[in-house]
Amino acid sequence: MAGEKPQVEIVKGVNGLDKVVLREVRGSSAEVYLYGGHVTSWKNDHEEELLFLSNKAMFKPPKAIRGGIPICFPQFGSHGTLEQHGFARNRFWSIDTDPPPFPANISHNAFVDLILKPSEEDAKIWPHSYEFRLRVALGPGGDLMLTSRIRNTNNDGKAFSFTFAYHTYFLVSDISEVRVEGLETLDYLDNLQEKERFTEQGDAITFESEVDKIYLSTPSKIAIIDHEKKRTFVLRKDGLPDAVVWNPWDKKAKAMSDFGDDEYKHMLCVEAAVVEKPITLKPGEEWKGRLELSAVPSSYCSGQLDPQKFPLRLVDPSLSRMEQYIVVRVLLEALVDCDLIICLFASGVIIIKLKFNNLSTPVVSTMKIKEMVQHHEEDLGSDGHDVNIWANGMHKWKP
Ligand SMILES: O=P(O)(O)OC[C@H]1O[C@H](O)[C@H](O)[C@@H](O)[C@@H]1O
């Protein structure tokens, strides 16, 4: 189409630093600075920003950019002798014009390949030769995909070890309204308690004070639910067993020169990482770590439900308002690409089995809903029942 902007464009960003702009045909976009190989923006097809970037972010090398997705390599945090989070986030990366091929089934048009190799100065602080290739891509639905490929190119026969993180800052409406699911019952190292190991309790994680934890051996999928925005971020990862959760809260926020005093209310870092067991590569070996982020309408609900207030008549009008409500919630959950939806009613549990990846598959027939309703007439007969619907068994029912 005439006048349409290119899918990949290199432009000047803040302080004249080079940045790559990616645009997907349906309108989503992302921005990546060559400084740090740092994603600073990811927008959905309504042009809404999804990543937090501090108003005080400096864009002044060698200071790392505060927000977006800093790359922590070859060291996460202070887990080693290098500077905090290693040096990849404050080096200038190059465009990789000839990256080794990706599997043929990976389809995206808006992407950029970056590469980082050590300088002579770097070799003095970390005496290894490597090639770090980073692909940043937008999927057709606006998903943001980052793939890191790190290869040991030492010719002295030596192996090297590293830790790593995609230090993702998510933009949230209000940190006290956010919950993280997928990390409950896991072990974590608490950075606020000298990295001591604890076990998380059974509930989804919520926030009311500073948090800095490294969750260990985490599932490949983690959800960040922003109740106020009615948005869920789904983080899928591969090759990255750990997940760091960080919010500096008020005191630490004030102590950071590149972070606004109140900005902690609008961000949450959930960082797909390798921390506990560093990766070791022999010469010629390559490691791959992949992160995929999507932002979907959030459909979580809990507590008292008033079907009279439910405004939609989207489905079979012969269904009662409560029945319609259930169908719509189930459909919304389907957008989150879940494997299983469970509806809980005051008097019992109803399981609706589901396993589908797109909405073209029939979801739950209205017949099914009717059967369900007949079984639970008492529950549905009056106003304001406790109904809770959740995906993958991750939510907790609060009667
Ligand atoms: O200020 P930075 O070096 O960017 O680090 C910011 C934060 O990153 C991680 O999440 C660490 O777990 C925190 O301990 C650290 O404070």
Side-chain angles (χ1 to χ4, degrees):
M1 228 193 289
E4 209 172 75
K5 290 201 169 170
Q7 287 197 310
V8 183
E9 197 180 11
I10 303 176
V11 299
K12 291 287 173 201
V14 183
N15 293 336
L17 296 172
D18 289 325
K19 72 174 177 189
V20 182
V21 181
L22 305 176
R23 294 184 191 90
E24 206 282 320
V25 277
R26 282 186 235 165
S28 56
S29 64
E31 296 187 358
V32 192
Y33 274 73
L34 295 192
Y35 175 60
H38 194 134
V39 176
T40 54
S41 169
W42 169 40
K43 289 183 182 161
N44 62 16
D45 51 10
H46 300 296
E47 292 185 31
E48 293 165 328
E49 182 59 62
L50 302 167
L51 295 178
F52 167 86
L53 179 68
S54 172
N55 285 328
K56 295 173 91 180
M58 284 183 194
F59 293 88
K60 276 196 191 129
K63 179 97 186 152
I65 301 166
R66 176 70 64 197
I69 312 183
I71 300 284
C72 304
F73 171 83
Q75 175 183 303
F76 174 78
S78 56
H79 294 248
T81 53
L82 299 175
E83 63 194 282
Q84 159 99 339
H85 292 327
F87 47 75
R89 64 175 178 164
N90 50 25
R91 293 294 183 272
F92 283 91
W93 295 55
S94 310
I95 304 267
D96 189 5
T97 48
D98 189 21
F102 274 78
N105 61 353
I106 292 184
S107 74
H108 41 245
N109 297 320
F111 66 91
V112 64
D113 286 295
L114 303 182
I115 185 162
L116 180 71
K117 293 182 192 177
S119 66
E120 277 176 25
E121 287 304 301
D122 294 343
K124 285 181 196 157
I125 50 170
W126 202 62
H128 301 293
S129 179
Y130 63 88
E131 287 171 356
F132 184 155
R133 291 190 158 82
L134 172 66
R135 171 169 288 195
V136 181
L138 281 171
D143 293 359
L144 181 68
M145 295 174 281
L146 288 92
T147 308
S148 286
R149 296 183 289 177
I150 297 172
R151 177 176 291 277
N152 182 334
T153 53
N154 273 339
N155 47 26
D156 58 5
K158 284 194 184 142
F160 63 65
S161 298
F162 62 89
T163 50
F164 176 94
Y166 290 114
H167 195 309
T168 312
Y169 288 74
F170 292 95
L171 182 65
V172 297
S173 49
D174 176 357
I175 185 68
S176 1
E177 296 291 320
V178 168
R179 51 195 279 147
V180 176
E181 294 179 349
L183 303 177
E184 45 279 27
T185 72
L186 298 181
D187 279 8
Y188 62 88
L189 309 178
D190 195 339
N191 277 333
L192 302 178
Q193 300 195 56
E194 286 153 5
K195 303 191 177 93
E196 206 183 316
R197 193 176 180 122
F198 297 94
T199 302
E200 191 59 73
Q201 45 164 325
D203 293 346
I205 290 142
T206 52
F207 302 90
E208 49 194 26
S209 59
E210 182 185 359
V211 55
D212 191 353
K213 296 177 178 176
I214 303 162
Y215 289 89
L216 308 172
S217 305
T218 59
S220 59
K221 185 167 153 187
I222 297 170
I224 301 157
I225 296 150
D226 184 338
H227 287 301
E228 206 171 296
K229 266 250 161 61
K230 296 198 168 45
R231 173 185 290 151
T232 297
F233 291 107
V234 182
L235 185 156
R236 291 181 179 82
K237 58 190 178 60
D238 189 30
L240 300 153
D242 305 323
V244 183
V245 176
W246 180 61
N247 184 295
W249 223 254
D250 53 351
K251 271 202 207 110
K252 285 237 169 99
K254 287 201 177 83
M256 288 189 277
S257 59
D258 59 348
F259 192 89
D261 290 358
D262 285 333
E263 285 186 328
Y264 74 92
K265 293 177 184 161
H266 306 296
M267 55 74 66
L268 176 66
C269 287
V270 178
E271 312 161 28
V274 183
V275 183
E276 192 197 21
K277 295 178 187 140
I279 303 292
T280 299
L281 293 178
K282 293 191 193 114
E285 284 183 341
E286 184 179 82
W287 168 84
K288 194 155 100 180
R290 201 174 136 72
L291 173 66
E292 204 174 305
L293 303 177
S294 39
V296 292
S298 197
S299 58
Y300 175 81
C301 82
S302 91
Q304 285 289 299
L305 219 166
D306 181 356
Q308 300 308 319
K309 288 196 187 132
F310 181 60
L312 299 171
R313 278 201 172 270
L314 287 179
V315 286
D316 185 348
S318 71
L319 295 178
S320 74
R321 292 185 78 70
M322 175 60 102
E323 292 160 334
Q324 288 180 41
Y325 182 90
I326 293 165
V327 175
V328 172
R329 300 237 51 122
V330 168
L331 282 165
L332 284 172
E333 285 292 356
L335 292 171
V336 194
D337 178 22
C338 53
D339 303 329
L340 174 71
I341 290 178
I342 300 178
C343 297
L344 280 179
F345 294 87
S347 66
V349 182
I350 297 166
I351 299 174
I352 307 171
K353 32 70 205 175
L354 285 172
K355 173 83 181 157
F356 50 85
N357 299 315
N358 61 55
L359 279 176
S360 58
T361 316
V363 181
V364 177
S365 70
T366 51
M367 243 348 267
K368 178 84 192 164
I369 296 288
K370 277 188 172 145
E371 279 168 31
M372 227 168 82
V373 168
Q374 273 160 16
H375 270 93
H376 291 268
E377 257 166 350
E378 338 69 270
D379 289 320
L380 297 165
S382 59
D383 288 354
H385 294 286
D386 286 312
V387 177
N388 200 349
I389 301 174
W390 82 112
N392 286 336
M394 294 197 290
H395 294 263
K396 194 187 146 208
W397 183 37
K398 288 195 185 123

